[in-house]
Amino acid sequence: MKKQTKRVLGVGATLGLSAMLLAGCGSDKETEQATDTSKTNENASIKLWVDAAQVETYQGIVDDFQKENPNWKVTIKPSESATAQENIKKDPSAAADVFMFPHDHIGQMVEAGMIYPNTKYEETVKENNIESAVDAATYDGKLYGYPYGVETQILYYNKAKLRAEDVTSWNTLTAKGKLGTNFGEAGANYIFTPLFMSNGNVLYGENGEDLKGTNFNNDKGVQVLEWIRAQKDNKGVIQSNAEALSNLESGKVDAFLSGPWSKNDVEKALGDNFAAAPYPTVDFGDGEVQQKAFLGVKLFGVNAATKSPVAAMALADYITNKESQLTVFEGHGTVPSNIEAQTAENVQADEVTQAVMTMSDAEHSFVMPKLPAMVTFWGPSDAVINDTFNDKISADDYKAKLDKLVEDTSK
């Protein structure tokens, strides 16, 4: 999950004032109705959107749901989660009642009145999922999403070249092996912006919702840029972007940073020498601290324009419960956000999943900000990281560059 799509400025008139109010603060009458399953949506027909590759998996889950709820008919349609908000915006009344989407779109959806608050299963979600996933499903203090998976970058490495203890710190990793990663080209922002949070700073505040909450322009931020520049002279760091995987396969590098989406390719490249681990620690000058990554959370949401909110919420809750998350893990490798599902034997046995679960806590990751203004951050942050690494900014200008970055991305 990298970049947000363009901020939504409005939705069609079909959404209606009542739905707008629901998505904002809700009305007591609608909330009461949505929690009374005995009087509403008795014969509902619900449309569900999931990624095309997962339709078959979710069909089996939905079949079980319908056995328990024979009066509710669910139709599954393929629709990519990354573009859910764009597709709903086109015609909310024709869109799915329940849809999957990346959590960093939630701010845009809430502010546009596109998503129905979780009025019925809030406590269930909070009790059953890890804290960071619940945080990602929440906006402006209100829960909207239904988490079903987490993802974050991890470290892949060749265990014929590096031992497990070698990869626990950046210094030993790059002293004993070669790490291929991208500091100097587009996309470095997603990988290395969390360095600032590793050193104690925040991006759009602690919860990713404060427009004026970025504080990179301080001594700790300058330390991060100094560390980034030093990596250009680190013989154990090989600038790698599109060629990172081929460099790993050829032996030019011994490790690289990527997410669970790269698992199959890395296993093919390394064979029996495949290994995965959480991020190492780094030292910006004041001692070792945990290197962090962005955390992405996979969510389902309910369309604010749904005519069947009770049935839609029940479906969203069912397809994200422990059993459903385990089914999706088995079919697609999606790392569960459900606390009990994470303890399942097959989940615990997977090396990549173990690394992602470790990375998904607050010590190891920073929840991708949900603020719509995040779209303005990516370009300027890439420029600062790239230019620092490529020695296009003098050390004397680091603070000024960070001042400008914070100013430009806080409007």
Side-chain angles (χ1 to χ4, degrees), residues 155 157 162-174 176 277-283 288-291 364:
L155 176 73
Y157 67 98
L162 293 162
R163 299 173 301 174
E165 54 265 37
D166 295 334
V167 303
T168 59
S169 82
W170 188 279
N171 286 341
T172 56
L173 167 61
T174 59
K176 296 186 176 184
Y279 269 10
T281 58
V282 293
D283 187 349
E288 296 286 331
V289 295
Q290 179 59 54
Q291 182 185 354
H364 291 80

Side-chain angles (χ1 to χ4, degrees), residues 148 178 227 300 304 345 347 356:
Y148 70 95
K178 294 188 182 299
W227 184 90
F300 276 95
E345 185 176 354
V347 174
V356 172

Side-chain angles (χ1 to χ4, degrees), residues 334-368:
T334 302
V335 180
S337 62
N338 181 279
I339 296 169
E340 290 189 9
Q342 289 193 350
T343 66
E345 185 176 354
N346 59 336
V347 174
Q348 290 285 321
D350 187 271
E351 189 173 5
V352 169
T353 299
Q354 279 279 11
V356 172
M357 290 192 299
T358 297
M359 289 294 296
S360 65
D361 65 26
E363 180 184 356
H364 291 80
S365 61
F366 187 84
V367 177
M368 179 74 74

Side-chain angles (χ1 to χ4, degrees), residues 69-145:
N69 301 277
N71 292 329
W72 293 343
K73 181 181 178 180
V74 181
T75 302
I76 300 181
K77 297 290 185 182
S79 183
E80 297 309 302
S81 54
T83 57
Q85 65 168 322
E86 297 174 15
N87 295 334
I88 295 170
K89 180 185 175 184
K90 293 175 183 176
D91 186 354
S93 64
D97 300 273
V98 180
F99 55 91
M100 58 169 52
F101 71 104
H103 89 267
D104 55 321
H105 292 183
I106 200 167
Q108 299 173 67
M109 290 185 172
V110 171
E111 294 192 8
M114 301 167 67
I115 188 167
Y116 197 106
N118 187 342
T119 59
K120 184 168 170 51
Y121 299 98
E122 179 177 7
E123 293 307 315
T124 300
V125 168
K126 290 181 176 179
E127 180 180 349
N128 293 334
N129 292 277
I130 62 173
E131 183 177 359
S132 55
V134 175
D135 290 344
T138 302
Y139 189 75
D140 196 21
K142 181 176 290 187
L143 185 71
Y144 288 89

Side-chain angles (χ1 to χ4, degrees), residues 194-217:
L195 289 173
F196 292 95
M197 287 75 91
S198 305
N199 206 28
N201 288 335
V202 292
L203 175 60
Y204 294 124
E206 295 288 349
N207 65 355
E209 297 180 29
D210 181 359
L211 184 61
K212 303 295 184 181
T214 304
N215 65 344
F216 292 2
N217 54 332

Side-chain angles (χ1 to χ4, degrees), residues 30-333:
E30 286 163 328
T31 300
E32 180 181 355
Q33 181 188 42
T35 57
D36 183 358
T37 58
S38 65
K39 296 181 180 179
T40 56
N41 310 142
E42 291 181 352
N43 295 289
S45 292
I46 320 164
K47 185 189 298 183
L48 172 66
W49 279 350
V50 302
D51 288 337
Q54 301 190 38
V55 168
E56 184 176 351
T57 298
Y58 276 98
Q59 184 63 65
I61 296 171
V62 165
D63 288 344
D64 291 337
F65 173 79
Q66 291 189 136
K67 290 176 184 177
E68 296 182 19
N69 301 277
N71 292 329
W72 293 343
K73 181 181 178 180
V74 181
T75 302
I76 300 181
K77 297 290 185 182
S79 183
E80 297 309 302
S81 54
T83 57
Q85 65 168 322
E86 297 174 15
N87 295 334
I88 295 170
K89 180 185 175 184
K90 293 175 183 176
D91 186 354
S93 64
D97 300 273
V98 180
F99 55 91
M100 58 169 52
F101 71 104
H103 89 267
D104 55 321
H105 292 183
I106 200 167
Q108 299 173 67
M109 290 185 172
V110 171
E111 294 192 8
M114 301 167 67
I115 188 167
Y116 197 106
N118 187 342
T119 59
K120 184 168 170 51
Y121 299 98
E122 179 177 7
E123 293 307 315
T124 300
V125 168
K126 290 181 176 179
E127 180 180 349
N128 293 334
N129 292 277
I130 62 173
E131 183 177 359
S132 55
V134 175
D135 290 344
T138 302
Y139 189 75
D140 196 21
K142 181 176 290 187
L143 185 71
Y144 288 89
Y146 302 73
Y148 70 95
V150 294
E151 65 180 15
T152 176
Q153 293 219 151
I154 60 174
L155 176 73
Y156 290 103
Y157 67 98
N158 184 335
K159 64 183 181 183
K161 301 288 188 65
L162 293 162
R163 299 173 301 174
E165 54 265 37
D166 295 334
V167 303
T168 59
S169 82
W170 188 279
N171 286 341
T172 56
L173 167 61
T174 59
K176 296 186 176 184
K178 294 188 182 299
L179 171 68
T181 191
N182 175 30
F183 283 104
E185 299 176 30
N189 48 14
Y190 178 68
I191 307 170
F192 292 114
T193 291
L195 289 173
F196 292 95
M197 287 75 91
S198 305
N199 206 28
N201 288 335
V202 292
L203 175 60
Y204 294 124
E206 295 288 349
N207 65 355
E209 297 180 29
D210 181 359
L211 184 61
K212 303 295 184 181
T214 304
N215 65 344
F216 292 2
N217 54 332
N218 54 25
D219 290 344
K220 288 185 176 295
V222 170
Q223 279 186 318
V224 170
L225 293 190
E226 291 172 344
W227 184 90
I228 289 173
R229 173 58 187 84
Q231 301 316 304
K232 188 173 182 66
D233 300 324
N234 185 341
K235 294 181 180 179
V237 173
I238 307 298
Q239 166 60 30
S240 305
N241 196 5
E243 69 279 12
L245 189 63
S246 62
N247 285 347
L248 187 68
E249 185 172 15
S250 68
K252 183 177 181 180
V253 302
D254 308 312
F256 88 121
L257 306 175
S258 189
W261 50 87
S262 295
K263 176 184 176 182
N264 292 339
D265 289 334
V266 179
E267 285 182 326
K268 182 178 179 181
L270 293 180
D272 292 339
N273 294 322
F274 171 90
Y279 269 10
T281 58
V282 293
D283 187 349
F284 299 109
D286 297 324
E288 296 286 331
V289 295
Q290 179 59 54
Q291 182 185 354
K292 294 188 176 184
F294 276 128
L295 177 70
V297 179
K298 298 173 180 290
L299 302 175
F300 276 95
V302 173
N303 186 346
T306 182
K307 296 178 180 179
S308 307
V310 169
M313 284 191 289
L315 175 63
D317 181 66
Y318 187 92
I319 62 179
T320 57
N321 65 20
K322 171 188 172 182
E323 291 75 17
S324 297
Q325 288 194 29
L326 287 173
T327 297
V328 176
F329 170 75
E330 291 168 2
H332 305 280

Side-chain angles (χ1 to χ4, degrees), residues 3 189 374-386 405 409:
K3 298 186 181 181
N189 48 14
M374 186 67 184
V375 295
T376 68
F377 177 81
W378 295 112
S381 62
D382 233 0
V384 169
I385 294 171
N386 294 166
L405 173 65
T409 59

